[in-house]
Amino acid sequence: ALADAGLTVAPPPPGRPADGGATPAAAAAAAAAAAADTAATPGDRVGVSVGVGLAPIPPIADAAATLASPRGYRRLSPRFVPSILPNMAAGHIAMAHGLRGPSGCPSTACAAGAHAVMEAAAAVATGAADAMLAGGSEAALTPIAVAGFGRARALAGGRWNDAPGASSRPFDARRCGFVMGEGAAVVVLEAADAAARRGVTRAYAEVRGGGASCDAHHITAPPPGGEGAERAVAAALAAAGLLPSDVDYINAHATGTVVGDAAEAAAMRRLFRGNGRVVMSSTKGATGHLLGAAGAAEAAVTALAVANGVVPPTVNLEDVDVGGDGADGGDVWAPDRFVPRTARRAAVDVAVSNSFGFGGTNASLVLGA
């Protein structure tokens, strides 16, 4: 059962941890919010898994400058190596809350947060842990990272420089790349019977299954038909013992790139062929792309959709343009299926949350009431 959740998309608070900088600080803030809502006993049977997409860039850049300066070797911090380890986010959370169970850190680009939730759910399901804090964290808004994604032609820009609030627009005809964000999300995963014993009367959602795949196609771009994404979602549904016809809502990975959004839409229209009820939105229109934290934040949002019966909108979506004339074997979806601009009330008994990353990695979670 996904019993408790913490989500922060605000800048990390002052007093960042000495090892790792902003990325573990954001994770620690989200974990504290999650842990405050749970009475799960810390100790050997509670663990943590926090995915991170990028190695912390500021410490590396600072260390390079220090080393090149006079007496640079002696001025280099002895904590430099710990400061660049992606698993420091999980480490700080474990130390802060006394979590001595399994500790993990998937580092699978923008699918890291989803893989962390999947890994944690497996730990609980197999009995390796009684409960897990799971999520993702990223604090990559630095000149080097922005320039790197810009050189890769992944970022929105140009026409949207004078209208930044409209620049993140998944599925829209005028999309031209993603908007970088940063933040963290951490949820508490716990066996349903254990949660019931400590008095939890209602969980946000249940993790029904997870699936993963690799495109084996290109370092940054998915295949045009989104076949890898389709395999990941199909695997997640099979693990959950469900059919595509059972799904009410898809929280898409869609970041606002021309190729990526179209590929995911093609894959979902094909896999969910015949399901005239399912709708799909991308919350990145509101949050931007949180990179390694995205999958965890969107899993939390998807759990809230299940719990509250509210489907979040695709902000800034004005003119759907992701193909869909039926020539690719998928259903034809009306624009309303992409939940443009306005949230809507709807029963969400089963939902899918998708996360894909550079290197062709794909992850999908199935959550249910």
Side-chain angles (χ1 to χ4, degrees), residues 205-232:
E206 178 184 1
V207 180
R208 299 279 189 89
S213 72
C214 183
D215 293 336
H217 173 73
H218 187 271
I219 59 171
T220 60
E227 291 82 3
E230 183 177 2
R231 289 195 302 275

Side-chain angles (χ1 to χ4, degrees), residues 314-340:
T314 306
V315 174
N316 293 323
L317 179 54
E318 297 174 341
D319 181 11
V320 176
D321 182 15
V322 285
D325 58 4
D328 56 7
D331 283 350
V332 177
W333 283 13
D336 189 57
R337 300 279 289 274
F338 295 88
V339 199

Side-chain angles (χ1 to χ4, degrees), residues 5-361:
L7 173 65
T8 175
V9 291
R16 296 171 174 179
D19 302 318
T23 296
D37 289 337
T38 178
T41 303
D44 298 349
R45 298 288 302 166
V46 182
V48 57
S49 180
V50 176
V52 175
L54 298 173
I57 292 173
I60 296 173
D62 292 346
T66 298
L67 200 58
S69 67
R71 299 175 56 83
Y73 174 79
R74 291 186 176 277
R75 294 177 58 222
L76 187 67
S77 170
R79 294 188 173 188
F80 166 64
V81 172
S83 76
I84 65 170
L85 298 178
N87 71 310
M88 275 297 162
H92 278 291
I93 291 170
M95 288 183 282
H97 299 281
L99 309 180
R100 298 187 297 274
S103 176
C105 174
S107 187
T108 46
C110 301
H115 278 131
V117 174
M118 198 182 308
E119 178 182 277
V124 173
T126 60
D130 293 336
M132 294 284 294
L133 266 65
S137 184
E138 204 79 84
L141 281 175
T142 64
I144 291 176
V146 173
F149 280 116
R151 287 291 292 156
R153 298 183 179 180
L155 298 182
R159 73 181 74 171
W160 300 113
N161 284 343
D162 295 328
S167 57
S168 185
R169 44 196 318 115
F171 303 127
D172 190 76
R174 293 189 291 167
R175 70 189 186 277
C176 57
F178 66 79
V179 175
M180 282 182 66
E182 60 180 18
V186 173
V187 299
V188 177
L189 300 179
E190 187 175 13
D193 56 349
R197 282 196 299 271
R198 66 178 181 87
V200 174
T201 58
R202 180 177 181 242
Y204 288 105
E206 178 184 1
V207 180
R208 299 279 189 89
S213 72
C214 183
D215 293 336
H217 173 73
H218 187 271
I219 59 171
T220 60
E227 291 82 3
E230 183 177 2
R231 289 195 302 275
V233 180
L237 289 171
L242 297 170
L243 299 172
S245 58
D246 295 319
V247 177
D248 302 299
Y249 169 60
I250 305 163
N251 187 288
H253 174 71
T255 65
T257 64
V258 174
V259 173
D261 290 13
E264 183 176 11
M268 297 304 100
R269 287 187 289 99
R270 221 171 30 245
L271 180 60
F272 291 94
R273 185 171 50 244
N275 181 343
R277 181 182 73 259
V278 69
V279 296
M280 178 166 69
S281 68
S282 172
T283 47
K284 290 184 177 73
T287 66
H289 190 0
L290 304 182
L291 306 180
E298 289 157 15
V301 168
T302 303
L304 290 172
V306 172
N308 298 327
V310 177
V311 174
T314 306
V315 174
N316 293 323
L317 179 54
E318 297 174 341
D319 181 11
V320 176
D321 182 15
V322 285
D325 58 4
D328 56 7
D331 283 350
V332 177
W333 283 13
D336 189 57
R337 300 279 289 274
F338 295 88
V339 199
R341 297 186 303 285
T342 304
R344 66 181 64 159
R345 290 205 168 273
V348 181
D349 294 320
V350 178
V352 167
S353 181
N354 290 338
S355 297
F356 314 134
F358 282 3
T361 184

